[in-house]
Amino acid sequence: MAEVSARGDLVIAACRSGERLARGIVAHYERLAAQEGRGDDGQGVLFLEDIDSRFSDTETIVQLPQDVSGRDAFIVQALHDPTSRRSVDDNYAALLIAVRACREWGANQVTAVLPYLAYARQDKPAPGRREPTTAKLMADLAIAAGIDRLVTWHPHLRQIHGFYGKTPVIAVDSMGLFLQEFERFRGRDDVIVVAPDAGALKFVTRFSQALNLPSAIGSKVRPRPEEAEISELIGSVDGKRVAIVLDDMISSGGTMFAVVEALQQQGALASVFVAASHNLCLEAARERLLALNERFGVEEVLVTNTIPQTRAFLEMPFVRVLHVAGVLAEIIYRVHHNRPLSALFEEMESSDATAVGGE
Ligand code: R5P
């Protein structure tokens, strides 16, 4: 049976940094379509790769190898790609130009799929430092380029929706993936879940309530850029043998290092687990994670592939990468077929959720 959607036929296009993830999304999508008997006459999803390149003066150029007119377009891009020499700025330019190309060549709708939403950290004017609200500027540029919708993963700022005005933002996070991973600790009174700072508290509260575990929060200060100190841990670690530390991202690794060090100073934990949605794969973080494993009993560091992970991190035996392609394929499937997303979100957070991961 041909795949029919009121939004037009599907096209998934990948900018170069998003290609690996996009291939995983397409594979999952085709499985979903086959399960529902919505295969598209054996031709599979129209998948466009290699759409961006560079002129010799380093300008970005995008060319669409096939017609997208009348289609429902999803453009996948990894804005931060430490496995390539392309910068965040290069990748953002490629995304904007790809969106404009789909728009100008007649796509019905254009959805940007940006699992790691770069430029979200400057989210307010910082008094004294004269910083602009760069996150808003980047949202304005994406809207001006022509996006109709944004799909993203665990944005640094939950209120990011406000920056996109009437352009819908679908923001999913790693809660479902992390709940599956740590289900074995459910209800144990010798386990504590820790938020390194106030920014992580809501996520940690949802997680600890779902698994019926107590929680604690760190009072974090940054004495210098890329360094963190936990001045106080609010919540008792007494009698705890296991700690699970959750955050949105590992950048320099300073936050994770400081919080685990503070935990171990308060009580001798037998094991510590660290989990973050995004790992920027910086060298400083690699060194800190190694030290956490060797000196502070960190047994496992869980991250996801919202950012392509470098060999240096993949080779560390205690780092494990959870895959987001399955969830993103489900979201694309539901958007493309005008199906509600709420059921997916509920399913992902239910205790008996089966993995929708996979590369
Ligand atoms: C801070 O607000 C974030 O939630 C993370 O805690 C932070 O970005 C991690 O950065 P780093 O690894 O450099 O401490």
Side-chain angles (χ1 to χ4, degrees):
M1 192 209 304
E3 191 183 28
V4 179
S5 161
R7 296 167 60 93
D9 288 345
L10 180 69
V11 55
I12 296 181
C15 295
R16 278 182 298 171
S17 284
E19 270 171 17
R20 192 177 156 87
L21 178 62
R23 266 183 240 127
I25 292 175
V26 170
H28 276 274
Y29 187 97
E30 287 182 337
R31 244 171 273 151
L32 278 173
Q35 275 164 19
E36 294 230 355
R38 285 174 178 269
D40 40 4
D41 293 340
Q43 290 167 13
V45 171
L46 176 58
F47 179 41
L48 307 182
E49 293 184 89
D50 259 339
I51 61 173
D52 57 311
S53 54
R54 301 180 101 182
F55 286 120
S56 44
D57 67 355
T58 77
E59 257 178 29
T60 300
I61 174 171
V62 167
Q63 292 172 321
L64 300 177
Q66 287 190 52
D67 189 20
V68 297
S69 62
R71 285 187 177 265
D72 188 17
F74 290 79
I75 301 174
V76 181
Q77 174 64 310
L79 291 174
H80 176 52
D81 178 10
T83 65
S84 82
R85 297 169 74 100
R86 290 180 290 276
S87 67
V88 172
D89 294 355
D90 293 338
N91 287 332
Y92 219 106
L95 167 80
L96 296 174
I97 300 168
V99 169
R100 181 54 62 93
C102 287
R103 198 82 274 166
E104 287 187 7
W105 289 97
N108 277 350
Q109 294 86 22
V110 182
T111 300
V113 181
L114 306 176
Y116 171 65
L117 192 61
Y119 279 119
R121 284 181 280 192
Q122 276 190 312
D123 56 20
K124 52 184 149 336
R129 297 202 301 266
R130 289 167 295 283
E131 289 177 13
T133 316
T134 314
K136 173 76 174 101
L137 168 66
M138 292 299 162
D140 290 347
L141 289 173
I143 293 166
I147 64 162
D148 294 294
R149 188 182 302 265
L150 168 68
V151 175
T152 189
W153 193 281
H154 207 159
H156 181 64
L157 178 72
R158 288 211 76 80
Q159 301 89 313
I160 197 88
H161 299 256
F163 291 165
Y164 287 82
K166 57 186 182 336
T167 302
V169 176
I170 299 170
V172 68
D173 62 32
S174 307
M175 184 63 67
L177 299 181
F178 291 168
L179 286 176
Q180 285 165 26
E181 289 297 326
F182 294 108
E183 169 65 33
R184 64 190 186 281
F185 294 119
R186 171 181 292 278
R188 270 184 46 181
D189 56 15
D190 61 345
V191 179
I192 189 152
V193 191
V194 184
D197 56 28
L201 187 58
K202 272 199 175 157
F203 187 76
V204 160
T205 305
R206 271 165 65 210
F207 178 91
S208 57
Q209 283 178 347
L211 291 188
N212 190 23
L213 295 169
S215 59
I217 174 176
S219 180
K220 182 173 95 176
V221 288
R222 285 206 185 273
R224 281 165 294 282
E226 309 220 317
E227 277 183 33
E229 273 175 23
I230 301 293
S231 56
E232 192 187 352
L233 264 178
I234 304 158
S236 171
V237 186
D238 280 356
K240 305 295 180 224
R241 290 181 44 74
V242 178
I244 302 168
V245 186
L246 304 177
D247 206 353
D248 63 336
M249 75 164 91
I250 297 173
S251 178
S252 68
T255 298
M256 287 300 191
F257 189 90
V259 76
V260 175
E261 189 180 36
L263 276 166
Q264 291 293 29
Q265 278 164 0
Q266 292 219 354
L269 293 158
S271 52
V272 180
F273 296 85
V274 160
S277 292
H278 312 289
N279 174 28
L280 272 57
C281 292
L282 302 185
E283 175 56 21
R286 196 187 69 83
E287 286 166 18
R288 283 176 169 136
L289 294 183
L290 271 175
L292 285 179
N293 175 251
E294 285 163 10
R295 288 172 29 211
F296 291 110
V298 168
E299 219 168 274
E300 191 166 52
V301 175
L302 291 177
V303 296
T304 77
N305 64 338
T306 55
I307 292 170
Q309 297 295 287
T310 59
R311 191 175 291 275
F313 282 83
L314 296 173
E315 282 174 351
M316 291 199 282
F318 56 91
V319 174
R320 194 148 59 83
V321 182
L322 306 176
H323 295 275
V324 299
V327 176
L328 294 173
E330 291 259 5
I331 291 172
I332 292 174
Y333 189 84
R334 285 171 199 241
V335 170
H336 180 57
H337 292 288
N338 292 316
R339 299 259 188 95
L341 286 160
S342 48
L344 172 66
F345 295 148
E346 280 162 26
E347 195 183 304
M348 281 167 54
E349 295 205 18
S350 74
S351 55
D352 59 355
T354 48
V356 276
E359 195 167 344

Short mmCIF file of all heavy atoms in Angstrom, two decimals, residues 191-197 200-201 203-205 207-208 213-219 230 232-237 240 242-247 255-256 258-260 262-263 269 272-275:
data_model
loop_
_atom_site.label_atom_id
_atom_site.label_comp_id
_atom_site.label_asym_id
_atom_site.label_seq_id
_atom_site.Cartn_x
_atom_site.Cartn_y
_atom_site.Cartn_z
N VAL A 191 19.77 4.07 47.51
CA VAL A 191 20.13 4.74 46.24
C VAL A 191 19.65 6.19 46.30
O VAL A 191 18.55 6.46 46.77
CB VAL A 191 19.46 4.03 45.03
CG1 VAL A 191 19.82 4.73 43.72
CG2 VAL A 191 19.89 2.56 44.97
N ILE A 192 20.48 7.11 45.81
CA ILE A 192 20.08 8.51 45.77
C ILE A 192 20.30 9.07 44.36
O ILE A 192 21.27 8.71 43.70
CB ILE A 192 20.82 9.36 46.84
CG1 ILE A 192 20.21 10.76 46.90
CG2 ILE A 192 22.33 9.44 46.56
CD1 ILE A 192 20.36 11.40 48.26
N VAL A 193 19.37 9.92 43.93
CA VAL A 193 19.48 10.56 42.61
C VAL A 193 19.90 12.01 42.86
O VAL A 193 19.34 12.68 43.73
CB VAL A 193 18.15 10.55 41.84
CG1 VAL A 193 18.37 10.97 40.40
CG2 VAL A 193 17.51 9.17 41.90
N VAL A 194 20.89 12.49 42.11
CA VAL A 194 21.45 13.80 42.41
C VAL A 194 21.36 14.73 41.21
O VAL A 194 21.76 14.38 40.09
CB VAL A 194 22.94 13.67 42.85
CG1 VAL A 194 23.50 15.02 43.27
CG2 VAL A 194 23.06 12.66 43.99
N ALA A 195 20.85 15.95 41.46
CA ALA A 195 20.88 17.03 40.47
C ALA A 195 22.09 17.89 40.77
O ALA A 195 22.22 18.38 41.90
CB ALA A 195 19.61 17.87 40.57
N PRO A 196 23.00 18.10 39.82
CA PRO A 196 24.18 18.90 40.11
C PRO A 196 23.87 20.36 40.42
O PRO A 196 24.62 21.03 41.11
CB PRO A 196 25.01 18.84 38.82
CG PRO A 196 24.44 17.73 38.02
CD PRO A 196 23.01 17.57 38.45
N ASP A 197 22.75 20.86 39.88
CA ASP A 197 22.41 22.27 40.11
C ASP A 197 20.91 22.46 39.93
O ASP A 197 20.19 21.52 39.58
CB ASP A 197 23.21 23.20 39.17
CG ASP A 197 23.01 22.85 37.71
OD1 ASP A 197 21.94 22.32 37.36
OD2 ASP A 197 23.93 23.10 36.91
N ALA A 200 19.00 21.29 36.77
CA ALA A 200 18.70 19.87 36.55
C ALA A 200 17.61 19.35 37.48
O ALA A 200 17.20 18.19 37.39
CB ALA A 200 19.98 19.05 36.74
N LEU A 201 17.16 20.21 38.39
CA LEU A 201 16.28 19.73 39.47
C LEU A 201 14.96 19.14 38.98
O LEU A 201 14.53 18.09 39.45
CB LEU A 201 16.03 20.85 40.47
CG LEU A 201 15.27 20.43 41.73
CD1 LEU A 201 16.00 19.31 42.47
CD2 LEU A 201 15.05 21.61 42.65
N PHE A 203 14.17 17.78 36.14
CA PHE A 203 14.41 16.50 35.47
C PHE A 203 14.65 15.41 36.52
O PHE A 203 14.08 14.32 36.47
CB PHE A 203 15.61 16.65 34.53
CG PHE A 203 15.86 15.45 33.65
CD1 PHE A 203 15.06 15.20 32.55
CD2 PHE A 203 16.90 14.58 33.92
CE1 PHE A 203 15.28 14.10 31.74
CE2 PHE A 203 17.13 13.48 33.13
CZ PHE A 203 16.32 13.23 32.03
N VAL A 204 15.48 15.74 37.49
CA VAL A 204 15.82 14.77 38.54
C VAL A 204 14.60 14.44 39.39
O VAL A 204 14.38 13.28 39.77
CB VAL A 204 17.01 15.31 39.39
CG1 VAL A 204 17.09 14.62 40.74
CG2 VAL A 204 18.30 15.13 38.62
N THR A 205 13.77 15.44 39.66
CA THR A 205 12.56 15.18 40.46
C THR A 205 11.63 14.23 39.73
O THR A 205 11.10 13.27 40.31
CB THR A 205 11.85 16.52 40.78
OG1 THR A 205 12.79 17.38 41.42
CG2 THR A 205 10.66 16.31 41.70
N PHE A 207 12.44 12.04 37.52
CA PHE A 207 13.10 10.73 37.49
C PHE A 207 12.97 10.04 38.84
O PHE A 207 12.61 8.86 38.93
CB PHE A 207 14.58 10.94 37.11
CG PHE A 207 15.40 9.69 37.07
CD1 PHE A 207 15.54 8.96 35.90
CD2 PHE A 207 16.06 9.23 38.21
CE1 PHE A 207 16.31 7.81 35.86
CE2 PHE A 207 16.83 8.09 38.18
CZ PHE A 207 16.95 7.37 37.00
N SER A 208 13.28 10.77 39.92
CA SER A 208 13.29 10.11 41.24
C SER A 208 11.86 9.74 41.65
O SER A 208 11.64 8.70 42.27
CB SER A 208 13.99 10.98 42.29
OG SER A 208 13.37 12.22 42.36
N LEU A 213 12.66 7.02 44.33
CA LEU A 213 14.00 7.12 44.95
C LEU A 213 14.16 8.51 45.56
O LEU A 213 13.61 9.48 45.03
CB LEU A 213 15.09 6.93 43.88
CG LEU A 213 15.18 5.55 43.22
CD1 LEU A 213 16.12 5.59 42.02
CD2 LEU A 213 15.65 4.50 44.23
N PRO A 214 14.93 8.65 46.64
CA PRO A 214 15.17 9.98 47.20
C PRO A 214 16.13 10.77 46.31
O PRO A 214 16.87 10.19 45.52
CB PRO A 214 15.81 9.68 48.56
CG PRO A 214 16.41 8.33 48.41
CD PRO A 214 15.59 7.59 47.39
N SER A 215 16.11 12.10 46.49
CA SER A 215 17.00 12.91 45.65
C SER A 215 17.73 13.97 46.46
O SER A 215 17.35 14.28 47.60
CB SER A 215 16.20 13.56 44.52
OG SER A 215 15.19 14.37 45.06
N ALA A 216 18.79 14.51 45.86
CA ALA A 216 19.57 15.59 46.48
C ALA A 216 19.95 16.56 45.37
O ALA A 216 19.88 16.22 44.19
CB ALA A 216 20.83 15.02 47.13
N ILE A 217 20.32 17.78 45.77
CA ILE A 217 20.72 18.78 44.76
C ILE A 217 22.00 19.47 45.20
O ILE A 217 22.20 19.74 46.39
CB ILE A 217 19.58 19.81 44.52
CG1 ILE A 217 20.07 20.92 43.58
CG2 ILE A 217 19.04 20.38 45.79
CD1 ILE A 217 19.03 21.93 43.19
N GLY A 218 22.85 19.74 44.24
CA GLY A 218 24.10 20.45 44.53
C GLY A 218 23.90 21.95 44.39
O GLY A 218 23.13 22.41 43.55
N SER A 219 24.61 22.71 45.20
CA SER A 219 24.62 24.15 45.05
C SER A 219 25.90 24.47 44.28
O SER A 219 26.99 24.42 44.82
CB SER A 219 24.60 24.77 46.45
OG SER A 219 24.61 26.14 46.34
N ILE A 230 30.91 22.58 43.97
CA ILE A 230 29.65 22.33 44.68
C ILE A 230 29.88 22.81 46.10
O ILE A 230 30.65 22.20 46.87
CB ILE A 230 29.28 20.82 44.64
CG1 ILE A 230 29.15 20.33 43.20
CG2 ILE A 230 28.01 20.55 45.45
CD1 ILE A 230 27.99 20.90 42.40
N GLU A 232 27.64 23.11 48.45
CA GLU A 232 26.83 22.38 49.43
C GLU A 232 25.98 21.33 48.70
O GLU A 232 25.55 21.57 47.57
CB GLU A 232 25.89 23.38 50.12
CG GLU A 232 25.19 22.85 51.33
CD GLU A 232 24.14 23.85 51.84
OE1 GLU A 232 24.09 24.98 51.33
OE2 GLU A 232 23.38 23.47 52.72
N LEU A 233 25.78 20.20 49.36
CA LEU A 233 24.85 19.20 48.82
C LEU A 233 23.61 19.23 49.71
O LEU A 233 23.70 19.00 50.92
CB LEU A 233 25.46 17.81 48.88
CG LEU A 233 26.15 17.28 47.63
CD1 LEU A 233 26.72 15.90 47.92
CD2 LEU A 233 25.23 17.21 46.43
N ILE A 234 22.48 19.54 49.10
CA ILE A 234 21.25 19.63 49.90
C ILE A 234 20.52 18.30 49.76
O ILE A 234 20.10 17.91 48.67
CB ILE A 234 20.38 20.81 49.41
CG1 ILE A 234 21.23 22.10 49.48
CG2 ILE A 234 19.10 20.94 50.22
CD1 ILE A 234 20.76 23.21 48.58
N GLY A 235 20.41 17.58 50.88
CA GLY A 235 19.86 16.23 50.85
C GLY A 235 20.86 15.27 51.47
O GLY A 235 22.07 15.43 51.25
N SER A 236 20.39 14.30 52.20
CA SER A 236 21.31 13.45 52.95
C SER A 236 21.79 12.24 52.13
O SER A 236 21.00 11.57 51.46
CB SER A 236 20.62 12.95 54.21
OG SER A 236 21.43 11.98 54.83
N VAL A 237 23.11 12.01 52.24
CA VAL A 237 23.70 10.87 51.54
C VAL A 237 23.92 9.71 52.55
O VAL A 237 24.36 8.63 52.19
CB VAL A 237 25.04 11.31 50.89
CG1 VAL A 237 25.64 10.22 50.04
CG2 VAL A 237 24.84 12.54 50.03
N LYS A 240 23.55 5.79 52.02
CA LYS A 240 23.40 5.49 50.59
C LYS A 240 24.65 4.76 50.08
O LYS A 240 25.77 5.07 50.46
CB LYS A 240 23.21 6.78 49.77
CG LYS A 240 22.07 7.65 50.25
CD LYS A 240 20.72 6.97 50.08
CE LYS A 240 19.60 7.85 50.57
NZ LYS A 240 18.60 7.16 51.38
N VAL A 242 24.62 3.84 46.54
CA VAL A 242 24.66 4.09 45.09
C VAL A 242 24.13 5.49 44.82
O VAL A 242 23.12 5.90 45.41
CB VAL A 242 23.76 3.06 44.34
CG1 VAL A 242 23.75 3.34 42.84
CG2 VAL A 242 24.23 1.64 44.61
N ALA A 243 24.79 6.23 43.93
CA ALA A 243 24.28 7.54 43.50
C ALA A 243 24.12 7.55 41.99
O ALA A 243 24.96 6.98 41.26
CB ALA A 243 25.21 8.65 43.96
N ILE A 244 23.04 8.20 41.53
CA ILE A 244 22.83 8.39 40.09
C ILE A 244 22.79 9.90 39.87
O ILE A 244 21.94 10.59 40.43
CB ILE A 244 21.48 7.78 39.64
CG1 ILE A 244 21.42 6.28 39.97
CG2 ILE A 244 21.25 8.03 38.15
CD1 ILE A 244 20.02 5.68 39.83
N VAL A 245 23.75 10.43 39.11
CA VAL A 245 23.81 11.87 38.86
C VAL A 245 23.31 12.13 37.44
O VAL A 245 23.82 11.54 36.49
CB VAL A 245 25.26 12.41 39.02
CG1 VAL A 245 25.26 13.92 38.91
CG2 VAL A 245 25.88 11.95 40.33
N LEU A 246 22.33 13.02 37.32
CA LEU A 246 21.73 13.29 36.00
C LEU A 246 21.88 14.76 35.63
O LEU A 246 21.68 15.64 36.47
CB LEU A 246 20.23 12.97 36.02
CG LEU A 246 19.79 11.56 36.45
CD1 LEU A 246 18.27 11.47 36.46
CD2 LEU A 246 20.37 10.51 35.51
N ASP A 247 22.18 15.02 34.37
CA ASP A 247 22.27 16.41 33.90
C ASP A 247 21.89 16.46 32.43
O ASP A 247 21.79 15.43 31.77
CB ASP A 247 23.70 16.94 34.11
CG ASP A 247 23.74 18.46 34.26
OD1 ASP A 247 22.70 19.11 34.09
OD2 ASP A 247 24.83 19.00 34.56
N THR A 255 31.23 20.05 35.98
CA THR A 255 30.06 19.90 36.86
C THR A 255 29.99 18.47 37.41
O THR A 255 29.84 18.27 38.62
CB THR A 255 28.77 20.22 36.07
OG1 THR A 255 28.85 21.58 35.65
CG2 THR A 255 27.53 19.99 36.90
N MET A 256 30.10 17.48 36.52
CA MET A 256 30.02 16.09 36.97
C MET A 256 31.15 15.78 37.95
O MET A 256 30.95 15.09 38.95
CB MET A 256 30.07 15.13 35.77
CG MET A 256 28.80 15.12 34.96
SD MET A 256 27.38 14.60 35.95
CE MET A 256 26.13 14.37 34.68
N ALA A 258 32.77 17.84 39.94
CA ALA A 258 32.58 18.49 41.24
C ALA A 258 31.49 17.80 42.05
O ALA A 258 31.63 17.61 43.27
CB ALA A 258 32.22 19.96 41.03
N VAL A 259 30.43 17.39 41.40
CA VAL A 259 29.32 16.80 42.18
C VAL A 259 29.70 15.41 42.70
O VAL A 259 29.39 15.06 43.85
CB VAL A 259 28.00 16.82 41.37
CG1 VAL A 259 27.93 15.77 40.31
CG2 VAL A 259 26.80 16.66 42.29
N VAL A 260 30.40 14.64 41.89
CA VAL A 260 30.79 13.30 42.36
C VAL A 260 31.83 13.41 43.48
O VAL A 260 31.77 12.69 44.48
CB VAL A 260 31.32 12.44 41.18
CG1 VAL A 260 31.83 11.09 41.69
CG2 VAL A 260 30.22 12.22 40.14
N ALA A 262 32.05 15.86 45.59
CA ALA A 262 31.32 16.28 46.80
C ALA A 262 30.56 15.10 47.41
O ALA A 262 30.52 14.95 48.64
CB ALA A 262 30.35 17.41 46.45
N LEU A 263 29.99 14.27 46.57
CA LEU A 263 29.25 13.10 47.08
C LEU A 263 30.19 12.17 47.83
O LEU A 263 29.88 11.70 48.94
CB LEU A 263 28.65 12.32 45.90
CG LEU A 263 27.31 12.80 45.36
CD1 LEU A 263 27.03 12.17 44.01
CD2 LEU A 263 26.20 12.47 46.35
N LEU A 269 30.34 5.98 48.86
CA LEU A 269 29.39 5.30 47.99
C LEU A 269 30.10 4.15 47.30
O LEU A 269 31.24 4.29 46.84
CB LEU A 269 28.86 6.28 46.94
CG LEU A 269 27.99 7.42 47.49
CD1 LEU A 269 27.98 8.58 46.52
CD2 LEU A 269 26.58 6.91 47.74
N VAL A 272 28.80 4.89 41.62
CA VAL A 272 28.17 6.11 41.14
C VAL A 272 27.91 5.94 39.64
O VAL A 272 28.77 5.43 38.92
CB VAL A 272 29.08 7.35 41.38
CG1 VAL A 272 28.41 8.62 40.88
CG2 VAL A 272 29.45 7.48 42.85
N PHE A 273 26.73 6.36 39.21
CA PHE A 273 26.39 6.35 37.79
C PHE A 273 26.13 7.79 37.37
O PHE A 273 25.51 8.55 38.11
CB PHE A 273 25.13 5.52 37.53
CG PHE A 273 25.31 4.07 37.87
CD1 PHE A 273 25.11 3.62 39.17
CD2 PHE A 273 25.70 3.15 36.90
CE1 PHE A 273 25.29 2.29 39.51
CE2 PHE A 273 25.88 1.82 37.22
CZ PHE A 273 25.68 1.39 38.53
N VAL A 274 26.62 8.13 36.19
CA VAL A 274 26.47 9.48 35.67
C VAL A 274 25.72 9.36 34.34
O VAL A 274 26.04 8.50 33.53
CB VAL A 274 27.87 10.10 35.46
CG1 VAL A 274 27.84 11.26 34.50
CG2 VAL A 274 28.49 10.52 36.81
N ALA A 275 24.72 10.21 34.15
CA ALA A 275 24.00 10.16 32.87
C ALA A 275 23.67 11.57 32.41
O ALA A 275 23.26 12.41 33.22
CB ALA A 275 22.71 9.35 33.01
#
